[in-house]
Amino acid sequence: MKKNIAGQIPDKSNTHNSGRVNPADEQTLDDLINGCREQDIHSQERLYKQFYGYAMSVALTYGQSKADAVEVVNDSFMKVFKNIHTFKTSEPFKPWFRKIVVHTAIDRARANKKFQKEVQVEDFLPQAPVDIEAELNARQIYKLLDELPDLLRFVFNMYEIEGYSHREISDQLDIAESSSRTYLTRAKAQLRKLYQSTFMDEQ
């Protein structure tokens, strides 16, 4: 069974609150959401501050730079405020919000044509499976993700962290389903090599 590591990955941003909801804030989250539905600027500002750090920690796994991640986060909040009426208060807010951030990162990457590449014949040759989780923990994977090419990083994030299926990744990134599987294998193989050159040398 595939292990989802989303909950294990640490917050990569220390600029704002990490997005963890303490008991006091949790009591007022519904009020903030209702305020945002009424387009109350103070509610929007407070929701932004409360979840900025969490959004950055998600966006940074998809952006090449902090500047890219900031734009993804700001665009995500604009979508949240525009579509807050579709959120069901009977459901957790974070998963709904996280999905918006991830989709925004994907849309931005596609608009910037980050996924345009010449596909080589060997990309589709059978490859041995790589059990990356047997060698790397979530913190180590997170540290190495920035070293992956954009397409490999997105496929790895979407499959291993967000829990997307290869069919869903195929639809989102406009690639063949077989390519998604190949890129995931390549991403794991590159992470293993990066691990050996980065962490093994430190021992």
Side-chain angles (χ1 to χ4, degrees):
M1 179 180 295
K2 180 167 69 72
K3 180 173 64 177
N4 190 299
I5 63 174
Q8 303 178 41
I9 292 185
D11 187 349
K12 198 173 179 181
S13 169
N14 58 9
T15 308
H16 289 263
N17 188 295
S18 66
R20 297 187 183 91
V21 182
N22 63 43
D25 289 333
E26 192 170 18
Q27 294 175 357
T28 62
L29 181 56
D30 286 346
D31 292 335
L32 289 180
I33 292 173
N34 288 332
C36 290
R37 284 176 172 155
E38 298 296 326
Q39 298 184 349
D40 176 64
I41 187 65
H42 298 295
S43 296
Q44 292 176 340
E45 288 177 351
R46 186 172 177 187
L47 192 74
Y48 181 90
K49 290 178 180 179
Q50 184 168 322
F51 287 94
Y52 179 92
Y54 175 71
M56 279 293 291
S57 69
V58 175
L60 281 168
T61 66
Y62 290 90
Q64 285 185 310
S65 67
K66 189 170 183 178
D68 288 337
V70 168
E71 293 195 22
V72 167
V73 169
N74 288 334
D75 288 347
S76 297
F77 274 105
M78 292 297 293
K79 292 179 180 179
V80 166
F81 298 144
K82 181 179 180 180
N83 298 287
I84 193 69
H85 62 281
T86 67
F87 171 69
K88 299 178 181 179
T89 54
S90 59
E91 299 178 356
F93 177 74
K94 267 190 176 182
W96 182 81
F97 178 52
R98 183 186 184 96
K99 184 175 291 187
I100 290 177
V101 177
V102 171
H103 285 180
T104 301
I106 293 171
D107 290 343
R108 181 173 177 80
R110 292 181 65 179
N112 292 340
K113 304 184 185 303
K114 284 189 174 184
F115 300 140
Q116 285 192 351
K117 67 182 289 291
E118 181 179 352
V119 180
Q120 304 296 330
V121 174
E122 59 266 23
D123 285 347
F124 297 97
L125 295 178
Q127 300 184 40
V130 180
D131 185 8
I132 193 68
E133 292 172 356
E135 298 186 18
L136 303 181
N137 61 42
R139 186 178 295 274
Q140 291 169 331
I141 291 173
Y142 191 85
K143 182 177 180 179
L144 298 175
L145 280 175
D146 287 344
E147 303 298 323
L148 292 180
D150 292 321
L151 185 54
L152 299 189
R153 184 174 68 251
F154 270 70
V155 171
F156 181 89
N157 284 347
M158 293 176 71
Y159 186 84
E160 294 291 347
I161 298 177
E162 309 299 341
Y164 284 84
S165 68
H166 285 296
R167 180 178 294 277
E168 290 171 325
I169 295 172
S170 170
D171 292 339
Q172 289 287 332
L173 302 186
D174 194 24
I175 60 176
E177 191 172 339
S178 58
S179 298
S180 177
R181 293 189 176 90
T182 298
Y183 295 141
L184 178 64
T185 299
R186 286 181 173 270
K188 290 182 176 182
Q190 286 199 28
L191 284 172
R192 174 182 285 176
K193 290 180 181 178
L194 288 168
Y195 168 77
Q196 292 172 344
S197 62
T198 302
F199 294 106
M200 296 301 290
D201 290 345
E202 294 177 356
Q203 297 178 0

